[in-house]
Amino acid sequence: MQQRVFTFSKLCLECSLAFCPNLHRNRLRVGTCKWQDKPASAKVHGYHGITLSPIAPTSACLHCIQERQSLFKPPVTVYDKYQSLSHRVHTYTPLSKSQASDQQLFHTTKKDMDSLVQHLHDPNSISYISQEAAAAIDELLMGPLGFSVDQLMELAGLSVASAIFEAYPVQANNRVLVICGPGNNGGDGLVAARHLHHFGYSLSVCYPKRTDKPLYHGLVTQLESLSIPFLLEDELPSILSSFDVVVDAIFGFSFRGQPRPPFDALIQKLVGLPNVVSVDIPSGWHVEEGDINGIGLHPDMLVSLTAPKLCARKFKGLHHFLGGRFVPPLIAEKFGLKLPPYPGTSQCVWIGKLPSIDVGSLRENYVGAVLLEEHLNADPFSQFKEWFEDAVAMGLPEPNAMTLATANKEGHPSARMVLLKGYDEHGFVWYTNYGSRKALELASNPWASIVFFWERLHRQARITGCVEKVSSEESDEYFHSRPRESQIGALVSAQSTVIAGRHVLDQAYEDLQSRYADKSIIIPRPDHWGGFRLQPEAFEFWQGRESRLHDRLTYTKEMAVDKSNWVIHRLAP
Protein backbone atom coordinates (compact mmCIF):
# COMPACT_ATOMS: atom_id res chain seq x y z
CA MET A 1 0.00 0.00 0.00
CA GLN A 2 1.21 3.51 -0.78
CA GLN A 3 2.78 5.39 2.10
CA ARG A 4 1.67 8.98 2.59
CA VAL A 5 3.35 11.89 4.33
CA PHE A 6 2.21 12.48 7.90
CA THR A 7 3.60 15.67 9.47
CA PHE A 8 3.75 15.61 13.25
CA SER A 9 4.96 17.82 16.06
CA LYS A 10 5.40 15.17 18.76
CA LEU A 11 6.48 11.55 18.68
CA CYS A 12 5.47 8.99 21.29
CA LEU A 13 8.62 7.06 22.16
CA GLU A 14 6.73 4.09 23.56
CA CYS A 15 4.43 3.35 20.66
CA SER A 16 6.51 5.17 18.00
CA LEU A 17 3.41 6.79 16.54
CA ALA A 18 2.76 10.42 15.79
CA PHE A 19 0.09 12.37 17.68
CA CYS A 20 -2.73 14.08 15.78
CA PRO A 21 -4.81 16.48 17.92
CA ASN A 22 -7.55 16.65 15.30
CA LEU A 23 -8.66 13.03 15.76
CA HIS A 24 -10.92 11.89 18.60
CA ARG A 25 -9.09 8.61 19.06
CA ASN A 26 -5.79 10.35 19.93
CA ARG A 27 -6.81 11.63 23.35
CA LEU A 28 -4.19 11.90 26.06
CA ARG A 29 -3.62 10.47 29.47
CA VAL A 30 -0.69 10.93 31.80
CA GLY A 31 1.81 8.30 32.82
CA THR A 32 2.24 5.90 29.93
CA CYS A 33 5.11 7.14 27.85
CA LYS A 34 7.32 10.10 27.07
CA TRP A 35 7.08 12.52 24.20
CA GLN A 36 9.91 13.91 22.19
CA ASP A 37 9.74 17.10 20.15
CA LYS A 38 10.12 16.02 16.55
CA PRO A 39 8.98 18.71 14.09
CA ALA A 40 9.51 16.76 10.91
CA SER A 41 7.72 14.54 8.41
CA ALA A 42 7.35 10.82 8.78
CA LYS A 43 5.74 8.16 6.67
CA VAL A 44 3.03 6.23 8.46
CA HIS A 45 1.92 3.10 6.61
CA GLY A 46 -1.70 3.12 5.52
CA TYR A 47 -2.87 6.53 6.72
CA HIS A 48 -3.63 9.86 5.08
CA GLY A 49 -1.50 12.95 5.62
CA ILE A 50 -2.42 15.57 8.20
CA THR A 51 -0.44 18.64 9.20
CA LEU A 52 -0.39 19.13 12.94
CA SER A 53 -0.54 22.32 14.91
CA PRO A 54 1.92 22.63 17.83
CA ILE A 55 0.65 21.01 21.00
CA ALA A 56 1.41 21.59 24.66
CA PRO A 57 3.94 19.26 26.32
CA THR A 58 2.29 16.13 27.58
CA SER A 59 3.26 12.61 28.48
CA ALA A 60 1.23 10.01 26.64
CA CYS A 61 -1.05 9.04 23.81
CA LEU A 62 -4.21 7.21 24.85
CA HIS A 63 -4.04 3.40 24.65
CA CYS A 64 -0.72 3.70 22.82
CA ILE A 65 0.01 0.01 23.24
CA GLN A 66 -3.40 -1.62 22.89
CA GLU A 67 -5.18 0.46 20.28
CA ARG A 68 -2.85 2.62 18.25
CA GLN A 69 -0.50 -0.16 17.23
CA SER A 70 -3.51 -2.13 15.98
CA LEU A 71 -4.90 0.91 14.22
CA PHE A 72 -1.87 1.38 12.01
CA LYS A 73 -1.29 -2.25 11.07
CA PRO A 74 -1.21 -2.63 7.28
CA PRO A 75 -4.80 -3.26 6.18
CA VAL A 76 -6.19 -6.14 4.20
CA THR A 77 -7.46 -4.70 0.91
CA VAL A 78 -10.68 -5.91 -0.69
CA TYR A 79 -11.39 -4.57 -4.16
CA ASP A 80 -14.96 -3.44 -4.74
CA LYS A 81 -15.61 -0.68 -7.27
CA TYR A 82 -18.79 0.46 -5.53
CA GLN A 83 -17.36 1.31 -2.16
CA SER A 84 -15.25 4.45 -2.52
CA LEU A 85 -13.63 6.94 -4.80
CA SER A 86 -10.41 4.95 -4.75
CA HIS A 87 -12.36 1.69 -5.45
CA ARG A 88 -10.89 0.14 -2.33
CA VAL A 89 -12.22 -0.93 1.04
CA HIS A 90 -9.79 -1.50 3.90
CA THR A 91 -10.51 -4.04 6.62
CA TYR A 92 -8.49 -3.03 9.68
CA THR A 93 -7.48 -5.02 12.73
CA PRO A 94 -10.23 -4.49 15.33
CA LEU A 95 -9.61 -2.26 18.34
CA SER A 96 -10.45 -4.99 20.79
CA LYS A 97 -12.68 -3.55 23.49
CA SER A 98 -14.27 -0.60 21.81
CA GLN A 99 -15.17 -2.48 18.65
CA ALA A 100 -16.40 -5.52 20.51
CA SER A 101 -18.65 -3.18 22.46
CA ASP A 102 -20.09 -1.71 19.26
CA GLN A 103 -20.48 -5.00 17.39
CA GLN A 104 -21.09 -7.66 20.02
CA LEU A 105 -24.88 -7.78 19.58
CA PHE A 106 -24.45 -8.63 15.90
CA HIS A 107 -22.89 -11.94 16.97
CA THR A 108 -25.74 -12.88 19.34
CA THR A 109 -28.31 -15.48 18.31
CA LYS A 110 -32.02 -14.68 18.23
CA LYS A 111 -32.60 -16.99 21.19
CA ASP A 112 -29.90 -15.21 23.20
CA MET A 113 -31.28 -11.82 22.22
CA ASP A 114 -34.75 -12.80 23.41
CA SER A 115 -33.25 -13.90 26.72
CA LEU A 116 -31.30 -10.64 27.05
CA VAL A 117 -34.45 -8.59 26.54
CA GLN A 118 -36.52 -10.79 28.87
CA HIS A 119 -34.27 -10.48 31.92
CA LEU A 120 -34.04 -6.69 31.53
CA HIS A 121 -37.82 -6.44 31.91
CA ASP A 122 -38.24 -9.33 34.36
CA PRO A 123 -35.48 -9.65 37.02
CA ASN A 124 -37.13 -12.86 38.27
CA SER A 125 -36.22 -14.60 35.00
CA ILE A 126 -32.67 -15.18 36.33
CA SER A 127 -31.44 -17.18 39.34
CA TYR A 128 -30.25 -15.76 42.65
CA ILE A 129 -28.24 -18.23 44.74
CA SER A 130 -27.55 -18.82 48.41
CA GLN A 131 -24.19 -18.72 50.17
CA GLU A 132 -24.20 -22.51 50.37
CA ALA A 133 -24.86 -22.88 46.64
CA ALA A 134 -22.13 -20.36 45.80
CA ALA A 135 -19.60 -22.31 47.87
CA ALA A 136 -20.68 -25.62 46.29
CA ILE A 137 -20.30 -24.17 42.77
CA ASP A 138 -16.78 -22.97 43.57
CA GLU A 139 -15.92 -26.39 44.97
CA LEU A 140 -17.07 -28.08 41.77
CA LEU A 141 -15.26 -25.59 39.55
CA MET A 142 -11.97 -26.04 41.40
CA GLY A 143 -12.40 -29.77 41.82
CA PRO A 144 -13.65 -32.14 39.12
CA LEU A 145 -14.06 -29.36 36.53
CA GLY A 146 -10.37 -28.49 36.62
CA PHE A 147 -10.31 -24.74 37.29
CA SER A 148 -7.63 -23.25 39.53
CA VAL A 149 -8.28 -20.36 41.91
CA ASP A 150 -6.01 -18.06 39.93
CA GLN A 151 -7.90 -18.82 36.69
CA LEU A 152 -11.23 -17.97 38.29
CA MET A 153 -9.77 -14.86 39.90
CA GLU A 154 -8.39 -13.66 36.57
CA LEU A 155 -11.73 -14.13 34.83
CA ALA A 156 -13.64 -12.51 37.68
CA GLY A 157 -11.32 -9.49 37.80
CA LEU A 158 -11.54 -9.04 34.04
CA SER A 159 -15.35 -9.12 34.31
CA VAL A 160 -15.31 -6.42 36.98
CA ALA A 161 -12.99 -4.20 34.94
CA SER A 162 -15.11 -4.69 31.81
CA ALA A 163 -18.30 -3.76 33.66
CA ILE A 164 -16.69 -0.60 35.06
CA PHE A 165 -15.54 0.31 31.55
CA GLU A 166 -19.15 -0.02 30.36
CA ALA A 167 -20.73 2.01 33.19
CA TYR A 168 -18.02 4.62 33.83
CA PRO A 169 -16.23 5.58 30.59
CA VAL A 170 -12.56 6.32 31.05
CA GLN A 171 -12.72 9.80 29.53
CA ALA A 172 -15.02 11.11 32.26
CA ASN A 173 -14.04 8.81 35.16
CA ASN A 174 -10.28 8.46 34.92
CA ARG A 175 -9.24 8.24 38.60
CA VAL A 176 -10.13 4.91 40.21
CA LEU A 177 -9.41 3.62 43.72
CA VAL A 178 -9.63 -0.12 44.40
CA ILE A 179 -9.94 -1.17 48.07
CA CYS A 180 -9.06 -4.85 48.54
CA GLY A 181 -9.86 -7.18 51.40
CA PRO A 182 -7.78 -10.14 52.57
CA GLY A 183 -9.61 -12.93 50.72
CA ASN A 184 -10.50 -13.97 47.18
CA ASN A 185 -12.69 -10.90 46.76
CA GLY A 186 -9.62 -8.77 47.35
CA GLY A 187 -7.75 -10.85 44.77
CA ASP A 188 -10.53 -10.13 42.27
CA GLY A 189 -10.00 -6.45 43.01
CA LEU A 190 -6.24 -6.67 42.40
CA VAL A 191 -6.83 -8.34 39.03
CA ALA A 192 -9.49 -5.74 38.14
CA ALA A 193 -7.02 -2.95 38.99
CA ARG A 194 -4.48 -4.35 36.52
CA HIS A 195 -7.03 -4.58 33.71
CA LEU A 196 -8.40 -1.10 34.46
CA HIS A 197 -4.87 0.27 34.16
CA HIS A 198 -4.55 -1.29 30.72
CA PHE A 199 -7.98 0.11 29.79
CA GLY A 200 -6.56 3.61 30.34
CA TYR A 201 -7.65 4.48 33.89
CA SER A 202 -5.38 6.06 36.50
CA LEU A 203 -5.34 3.53 39.36
CA SER A 204 -4.61 3.58 43.08
CA VAL A 205 -4.96 0.58 45.39
CA CYS A 206 -5.55 0.28 49.14
CA TYR A 207 -4.71 -3.21 50.44
CA PRO A 208 -4.54 -3.00 54.26
CA LYS A 209 -4.24 -6.71 55.17
CA ARG A 210 -2.22 -8.48 52.52
CA THR A 211 -2.69 -12.22 52.11
CA ASP A 212 0.62 -14.05 52.59
CA LYS A 213 0.32 -16.47 49.65
CA PRO A 214 2.31 -16.65 46.39
CA LEU A 215 -0.79 -15.91 44.28
CA TYR A 216 -1.41 -12.61 46.05
CA HIS A 217 2.29 -11.71 46.13
CA GLY A 218 2.28 -12.13 42.37
CA LEU A 219 -0.78 -9.91 41.91
CA VAL A 220 0.82 -7.17 44.00
CA THR A 221 4.10 -7.45 42.06
CA GLN A 222 2.20 -7.10 38.77
CA LEU A 223 0.61 -3.86 39.96
CA GLU A 224 3.88 -2.50 41.31
CA SER A 225 5.55 -3.20 37.96
CA LEU A 226 2.91 -0.90 36.39
CA SER A 227 3.81 1.86 38.92
CA ILE A 228 0.33 1.70 40.45
CA PRO A 229 0.53 3.35 43.90
CA PHE A 230 -0.55 1.49 47.03
CA LEU A 231 -2.16 3.80 49.59
CA LEU A 232 -2.41 3.37 53.36
CA GLU A 233 -5.88 3.37 54.86
CA ASP A 234 -4.94 6.42 56.96
CA GLU A 235 -4.37 8.40 53.76
CA LEU A 236 -7.85 7.82 52.36
CA PRO A 237 -10.12 10.23 54.32
CA SER A 238 -8.45 13.34 52.89
CA ILE A 239 -8.33 12.13 49.27
CA LEU A 240 -11.43 9.94 48.78
CA SER A 241 -13.36 12.74 47.10
CA SER A 242 -10.65 13.09 44.45
CA PHE A 243 -11.49 9.69 42.91
CA ASP A 244 -14.09 9.33 40.18
CA VAL A 245 -14.84 5.67 40.99
CA VAL A 246 -14.16 3.61 44.14
CA VAL A 247 -14.18 -0.20 43.88
CA ASP A 248 -15.26 -2.13 46.99
CA ALA A 249 -13.46 -5.47 46.76
CA ILE A 250 -13.34 -5.99 50.52
CA PHE A 251 -15.65 -8.90 51.41
CA GLY A 252 -17.12 -11.61 49.19
CA PHE A 253 -19.82 -14.27 49.54
CA SER A 254 -17.86 -16.32 52.10
CA PHE A 255 -17.85 -13.46 54.64
CA ARG A 256 -19.79 -13.98 57.88
CA GLY A 257 -20.30 -11.83 60.96
CA GLN A 258 -19.50 -8.14 61.22
CA PRO A 259 -16.55 -6.22 59.70
CA ARG A 260 -13.51 -5.87 61.92
CA PRO A 261 -10.79 -3.18 61.92
CA PRO A 262 -9.55 -1.64 59.75
CA PHE A 263 -12.35 -2.55 57.34
CA ASP A 264 -15.22 -1.43 59.58
CA ALA A 265 -13.91 2.14 59.52
CA LEU A 266 -13.11 1.96 55.80
CA ILE A 267 -16.65 0.86 54.97
CA GLN A 268 -18.11 3.75 56.94
CA LYS A 269 -15.89 6.21 55.06
CA LEU A 270 -17.37 4.94 51.78
CA VAL A 271 -21.02 5.29 52.86
CA GLY A 272 -22.67 8.02 50.83
CA LEU A 273 -19.74 8.33 48.43
CA PRO A 274 -20.83 8.50 44.75
CA ASN A 275 -19.81 5.95 42.11
CA VAL A 276 -18.97 3.10 44.49
CA VAL A 277 -18.73 -0.28 42.75
CA SER A 278 -19.07 -3.43 44.87
CA VAL A 279 -17.61 -6.75 43.74
CA ASP A 280 -20.10 -9.62 44.15
CA ILE A 281 -21.41 -8.51 47.59
CA PRO A 282 -21.68 -4.96 48.99
CA SER A 283 -19.32 -5.01 51.95
CA GLY A 284 -21.11 -5.22 55.29
CA TRP A 285 -24.08 -7.11 53.82
CA HIS A 286 -25.36 -10.53 54.80
CA VAL A 287 -24.93 -12.70 51.69
CA GLU A 288 -28.59 -13.71 51.63
CA GLU A 289 -30.47 -11.06 53.62
CA GLY A 290 -28.68 -7.83 52.68
CA ASP A 291 -27.79 -4.94 55.01
CA ILE A 292 -29.52 -6.36 58.06
CA ASN A 293 -27.39 -4.38 60.56
CA GLY A 294 -27.57 -1.05 58.76
CA ILE A 295 -23.77 -0.73 58.56
CA GLY A 296 -23.17 -1.87 54.98
CA LEU A 297 -22.48 -0.04 51.77
CA HIS A 298 -25.21 0.91 49.33
CA PRO A 299 -23.19 1.15 46.13
CA ASP A 300 -24.22 2.69 42.83
CA MET A 301 -23.04 -0.42 40.99
CA LEU A 302 -22.84 -4.12 41.78
CA VAL A 303 -20.93 -6.70 39.76
CA SER A 304 -22.27 -10.14 40.68
CA LEU A 305 -19.91 -13.01 39.90
CA THR A 306 -20.86 -16.51 38.63
CA ALA A 307 -24.50 -15.89 39.59
CA PRO A 308 -26.13 -13.11 41.62
CA LYS A 309 -26.44 -13.89 45.32
CA LEU A 310 -29.76 -13.68 47.15
CA CYS A 311 -28.88 -10.33 48.73
CA ALA A 312 -28.63 -8.80 45.23
CA ARG A 313 -32.44 -8.76 45.10
CA LYS A 314 -32.21 -5.88 47.60
CA PHE A 315 -29.72 -3.92 45.51
CA LYS A 316 -31.21 -0.55 44.50
CA GLY A 317 -28.26 1.05 42.70
CA LEU A 318 -28.10 2.25 39.11
CA HIS A 319 -25.96 -0.48 37.54
CA HIS A 320 -26.09 -4.25 38.10
CA PHE A 321 -23.86 -6.46 35.99
CA LEU A 322 -23.14 -10.19 35.97
CA GLY A 323 -19.57 -11.32 35.35
CA GLY A 324 -17.59 -14.53 35.48
CA ARG A 325 -18.16 -16.05 32.08
CA PHE A 326 -17.05 -19.54 33.05
CA VAL A 327 -20.16 -21.39 34.24
CA PRO A 328 -20.36 -24.68 32.26
CA PRO A 329 -23.72 -26.28 31.37
CA LEU A 330 -23.07 -29.06 33.90
CA ILE A 331 -23.21 -26.58 36.80
CA ALA A 332 -26.14 -24.64 35.35
CA GLU A 333 -28.14 -27.88 35.10
CA LYS A 334 -27.11 -29.23 38.50
CA PHE A 335 -28.08 -26.03 40.35
CA GLY A 336 -30.98 -25.07 38.08
CA LEU A 337 -29.33 -21.79 37.16
CA LYS A 338 -31.11 -19.44 34.79
CA LEU A 339 -28.48 -16.97 33.64
CA PRO A 340 -28.59 -14.44 30.80
CA PRO A 341 -26.34 -15.07 27.78
CA TYR A 342 -23.23 -12.95 27.37
CA PRO A 343 -23.46 -10.95 24.14
CA GLY A 344 -20.66 -11.49 21.64
CA THR A 345 -17.23 -11.44 23.27
CA SER A 346 -18.34 -9.43 26.31
CA GLN A 347 -17.12 -10.45 29.78
CA CYS A 348 -20.13 -8.89 31.51
CA VAL A 349 -23.86 -8.53 30.96
CA TRP A 350 -26.39 -6.10 32.43
CA ILE A 351 -28.91 -7.73 34.77
CA GLY A 352 -31.77 -6.45 36.86
CA LYS A 353 -34.42 -3.93 35.94
CA LEU A 354 -33.29 -0.92 33.98
CA PRO A 355 -33.45 2.31 36.02
CA SER A 356 -35.80 5.10 35.05
CA ILE A 357 -34.14 7.40 32.58
CA ASP A 358 -34.08 11.19 32.77
CA VAL A 359 -33.83 11.95 29.06
CA GLY A 360 -32.95 15.57 29.74
CA SER A 361 -29.84 14.56 31.66
CA LEU A 362 -28.42 12.36 28.89
CA ARG A 363 -25.45 14.21 27.47
CA GLU A 364 -21.79 13.79 26.64
CA ASN A 365 -19.17 16.50 26.74
CA TYR A 366 -17.10 16.19 23.57
CA VAL A 367 -13.41 16.66 24.31
CA GLY A 368 -10.07 16.04 22.64
CA ALA A 369 -10.64 17.04 18.99
CA VAL A 370 -10.74 20.25 16.97
CA LEU A 371 -11.65 21.22 13.41
CA LEU A 372 -9.95 24.40 12.22
CA GLU A 373 -9.93 25.99 8.79
CA GLU A 374 -6.27 25.12 8.31
CA HIS A 375 -7.11 21.44 8.79
CA LEU A 376 -9.53 21.33 5.86
CA ASN A 377 -8.95 20.28 2.29
CA ALA A 378 -9.90 22.87 -0.32
CA ASP A 379 -12.03 20.17 -1.97
CA PRO A 380 -15.03 18.91 0.09
CA PHE A 381 -15.00 15.51 -1.61
CA SER A 382 -11.40 14.99 -0.42
CA GLN A 383 -12.40 16.14 3.07
CA PHE A 384 -15.27 13.65 3.12
CA LYS A 385 -12.94 10.89 1.94
CA GLU A 386 -10.56 11.56 4.84
CA TRP A 387 -13.33 11.52 7.42
CA PHE A 388 -14.95 8.43 5.92
CA GLU A 389 -11.62 6.58 5.97
CA ASP A 390 -11.13 7.62 9.60
CA ALA A 391 -14.50 6.03 10.46
CA VAL A 392 -13.53 2.84 8.62
CA ALA A 393 -10.13 2.75 10.33
CA MET A 394 -11.81 3.09 13.73
CA GLY A 395 -13.84 -0.05 12.99
CA LEU A 396 -17.18 1.71 13.43
CA PRO A 397 -20.14 -0.52 12.50
CA GLU A 398 -21.60 0.49 9.14
CA PRO A 399 -19.64 3.73 8.69
CA ASN A 400 -21.53 4.15 5.40
CA ALA A 401 -24.92 4.41 7.17
CA MET A 402 -26.55 7.77 6.51
CA THR A 403 -29.83 9.54 7.17
CA LEU A 404 -31.58 10.45 3.93
CA ALA A 405 -34.05 13.34 4.30
CA THR A 406 -36.57 14.05 1.53
CA ALA A 407 -39.80 16.04 1.20
CA ASN A 408 -42.84 15.78 -1.05
CA LYS A 409 -44.06 18.59 -3.30
CA GLU A 410 -46.10 20.06 -0.41
CA GLY A 411 -42.90 20.26 1.67
CA HIS A 412 -43.83 17.51 4.15
CA PRO A 413 -40.52 15.90 5.22
CA SER A 414 -39.53 12.29 5.90
CA ALA A 415 -36.23 10.68 6.84
CA ARG A 416 -34.76 7.19 7.06
CA MET A 417 -31.43 5.38 7.27
CA VAL A 418 -29.88 4.07 4.06
CA LEU A 419 -26.42 2.80 3.09
CA LEU A 420 -23.99 4.73 0.93
CA LYS A 421 -22.82 2.46 -1.88
CA GLY A 422 -20.45 4.70 -3.76
CA TYR A 423 -19.14 8.25 -4.03
CA ASP A 424 -16.92 10.29 -6.29
CA GLU A 425 -16.68 13.88 -7.52
CA HIS A 426 -20.07 13.43 -9.24
CA GLY A 427 -22.00 12.60 -6.07
CA PHE A 428 -23.15 10.07 -3.48
CA VAL A 429 -24.97 6.90 -4.53
CA TRP A 430 -27.46 4.59 -2.79
CA TYR A 431 -29.92 1.98 -4.08
CA THR A 432 -33.59 1.42 -3.32
CA ASN A 433 -37.02 0.53 -4.66
CA TYR A 434 -38.28 3.13 -7.14
CA GLY A 435 -41.80 2.67 -5.76
CA SER A 436 -40.80 3.50 -2.19
CA ARG A 437 -41.88 6.67 -0.38
CA LYS A 438 -38.42 8.26 -0.67
CA ALA A 439 -38.30 7.53 -4.42
CA LEU A 440 -41.79 8.99 -5.01
CA GLU A 441 -40.90 12.10 -3.01
CA LEU A 442 -37.68 12.53 -5.00
CA ALA A 443 -39.70 12.24 -8.21
CA SER A 444 -41.80 15.25 -7.17
CA ASN A 445 -39.07 17.17 -5.31
CA PRO A 446 -35.50 16.17 -6.24
CA TRP A 447 -33.78 18.08 -3.42
CA ALA A 448 -32.50 16.04 -0.46
CA SER A 449 -29.94 15.93 2.35
CA ILE A 450 -27.82 13.08 3.66
CA VAL A 451 -26.21 13.06 7.11
CA PHE A 452 -23.45 10.78 8.42
CA PHE A 453 -22.90 10.55 12.20
CA TRP A 454 -19.74 8.84 13.41
CA GLU A 455 -20.42 8.75 17.15
CA ARG A 456 -17.05 7.63 18.46
CA LEU A 457 -15.29 10.34 16.47
CA HIS A 458 -17.88 12.94 17.52
CA ARG A 459 -18.30 13.91 13.88
CA GLN A 460 -21.11 14.62 11.45
CA ALA A 461 -21.05 15.30 7.72
CA ARG A 462 -24.15 16.85 6.10
CA ILE A 463 -24.48 17.05 2.33
CA THR A 464 -27.31 18.75 0.44
CA GLY A 465 -28.03 18.64 -3.27
CA CYS A 466 -30.22 17.61 -6.18
CA VAL A 467 -30.91 13.90 -6.76
CA GLU A 468 -31.13 11.97 -10.02
CA LYS A 469 -31.36 8.29 -10.94
CA VAL A 470 -28.17 6.50 -11.90
CA SER A 471 -28.03 4.80 -15.29
CA SER A 472 -29.64 1.40 -15.85
CA GLU A 473 -26.20 -0.03 -16.63
CA GLU A 474 -24.85 1.17 -13.28
CA SER A 475 -27.87 -0.24 -11.41
CA ASP A 476 -27.55 -3.57 -13.26
CA GLU A 477 -23.88 -3.87 -12.40
CA TYR A 478 -24.40 -3.14 -8.72
CA PHE A 479 -27.50 -5.37 -8.47
CA HIS A 480 -25.58 -8.40 -9.71
CA SER A 481 -22.71 -7.70 -7.31
CA ARG A 482 -25.08 -8.16 -4.34
CA PRO A 483 -25.51 -11.48 -2.50
CA ARG A 484 -28.03 -13.68 -4.32
CA GLU A 485 -30.34 -13.61 -1.28
CA SER A 486 -30.43 -9.80 -1.41
CA GLN A 487 -31.25 -9.89 -5.11
CA ILE A 488 -34.23 -12.12 -4.35
CA GLY A 489 -35.24 -9.77 -1.53
CA ALA A 490 -35.40 -6.87 -3.98
CA LEU A 491 -37.79 -8.88 -6.16
CA VAL A 492 -39.98 -9.86 -3.20
CA SER A 493 -40.62 -6.50 -1.53
CA ALA A 494 -42.96 -3.85 -2.94
CA GLN A 495 -41.37 -1.38 -0.56
CA SER A 496 -43.60 0.96 1.49
CA THR A 497 -46.86 -0.74 0.42
CA VAL A 498 -49.25 -2.23 2.99
CA ILE A 499 -49.17 -6.06 3.22
CA ALA A 500 -51.32 -8.57 5.13
CA GLY A 501 -48.49 -9.86 7.32
CA ARG A 502 -44.95 -11.21 7.52
CA HIS A 503 -46.08 -14.47 5.97
CA VAL A 504 -46.61 -12.68 2.64
CA LEU A 505 -42.91 -11.82 2.43
CA ASP A 506 -41.77 -15.23 3.67
CA GLN A 507 -43.90 -17.12 1.17
CA ALA A 508 -42.84 -14.95 -1.77
CA TYR A 509 -39.19 -15.33 -0.76
CA GLU A 510 -39.49 -19.14 -0.59
CA ASP A 511 -41.19 -19.24 -4.01
CA LEU A 512 -38.43 -17.19 -5.64
CA GLN A 513 -35.70 -19.19 -3.91
CA SER A 514 -37.18 -22.30 -5.50
CA ARG A 515 -37.45 -20.63 -8.91
CA TYR A 516 -33.79 -19.54 -8.81
CA ALA A 517 -32.39 -22.59 -7.01
CA ASP A 518 -30.15 -23.21 -10.02
CA LYS A 519 -27.40 -20.67 -9.37
CA SER A 520 -26.40 -20.62 -13.02
CA ILE A 521 -29.64 -18.73 -13.71
CA ILE A 522 -29.08 -14.98 -13.59
CA ILE A 523 -31.66 -13.14 -11.49
CA PRO A 524 -32.90 -10.13 -13.48
CA ARG A 525 -32.85 -6.71 -11.85
CA PRO A 526 -36.47 -5.59 -11.50
CA ASP A 527 -37.36 -2.33 -13.24
CA HIS A 528 -38.62 -0.93 -9.95
CA TRP A 529 -35.20 -1.19 -8.27
CA GLY A 530 -32.11 0.94 -8.87
CA GLY A 531 -29.82 3.71 -7.72
CA PHE A 532 -29.96 7.42 -6.96
CA ARG A 533 -27.10 9.93 -6.96
CA LEU A 534 -27.11 13.10 -4.87
CA GLN A 535 -25.10 15.85 -6.59
CA PRO A 536 -23.82 18.11 -3.78
CA GLU A 537 -24.50 21.83 -3.66
CA ALA A 538 -23.32 22.23 -0.05
CA PHE A 539 -21.34 20.34 2.61
CA GLU A 540 -21.12 20.83 6.36
CA PHE A 541 -18.46 19.14 8.52
CA TRP A 542 -19.27 19.15 12.25
CA GLN A 543 -16.81 18.30 15.03
CA GLY A 544 -18.09 17.98 18.61
CA ARG A 545 -16.31 20.29 21.06
CA GLU A 546 -16.36 21.09 24.77
CA SER A 547 -19.30 23.01 26.29
CA ARG A 548 -21.34 22.56 23.10
CA LEU A 549 -19.12 25.07 21.27
CA HIS A 550 -18.79 22.74 18.30
CA ASP A 551 -16.81 23.38 15.13
CA ARG A 552 -19.01 23.78 12.03
CA LEU A 553 -17.38 24.41 8.68
CA THR A 554 -19.34 24.58 5.42
CA TYR A 555 -18.51 24.41 1.73
CA THR A 556 -20.82 26.19 -0.71
CA LYS A 557 -20.45 26.67 -4.43
CA GLU A 558 -19.34 30.10 -5.60
CA MET A 559 -22.15 31.01 -8.00
CA ALA A 560 -20.84 34.33 -9.33
CA VAL A 561 -17.72 33.18 -11.14
CA ASP A 562 -17.10 29.47 -11.24
CA LYS A 563 -19.61 26.88 -10.04
CA SER A 564 -16.77 24.41 -9.46
CA ASN A 565 -15.18 26.73 -6.89
CA TRP A 566 -16.01 25.95 -3.25
CA VAL A 567 -16.08 28.64 -0.54
CA ILE A 568 -15.50 27.71 3.12
CA HIS A 569 -17.36 29.44 5.98
CA ARG A 570 -17.50 28.84 9.74
CA LEU A 571 -20.95 28.70 11.37
CA ALA A 572 -21.75 29.44 14.99
CA PRO A 573 -22.64 26.21 16.85
Side-chain angles (χ1 to χ4, degrees), residues 62-99:
L62 179 64
H63 304 316
C64 66
I65 296 175
Q66 297 104 324
E67 291 193 1
R68 307 233 340 117
Q69 287 180 348
S70 293
L71 179 64
F72 286 93
K73 283 183 179 177
V76 177
T77 302
V78 180
Y79 290 95
D80 183 338
K81 66 181 351 179
Y82 300 101
Q83 298 300 322
S84 71
L85 176 63
S86 62
H87 294 173
R88 290 180 300 188
V89 164
H90 304 309
T91 303
Y92 286 80
T93 303
L95 305 183
S96 56
K97 175 60 191 177
S98 57
Q99 286 188 338

Side-chain angles (χ1 to χ4, degrees), residues 432-435 469 472 475-476 479 490-491 524-531:
T432 189
N433 188 304
Y434 286 147
K469 288 183 179 179
S472 296
S475 290
D476 285 339
F479 180 81
L491 290 169
R525 176 181 67 86
D527 292 337
H528 64 256
W529 192 96

Side-chain angles (χ1 to χ4, degrees), residues 61 149 169 244 250 264 296 298 339 392 404 423 445 475 478 484 489 509 512 526:
C61 56
V149 65
D244 300 307
I250 300 175
D264 54 351
H298 289 269
L339 301 176
V392 173
L404 169 64
Y423 68 94
N445 177 3
S475 290
Y478 176 73
R484 198 169 176 85
Y509 185 81
L512 284 174

Side-chain angles (χ1 to χ4, degrees), residues 128-135 252-256 280-282 284-292 308-315:
Y128 291 76
I129 62 175
S130 66
Q131 186 178 44
E132 181 181 0
F253 72 80
S254 60
F255 176 78
R256 297 176 185 272
D280 205 23
I281 304 291
W285 283 30
H286 186 281
V287 178
E288 297 172 1
E289 299 176 29
D291 186 21
I292 55 178
K309 313 308 180 286
L310 286 172
C311 68
R313 291 187 182 276
K314 303 180 184 295
F315 172 70

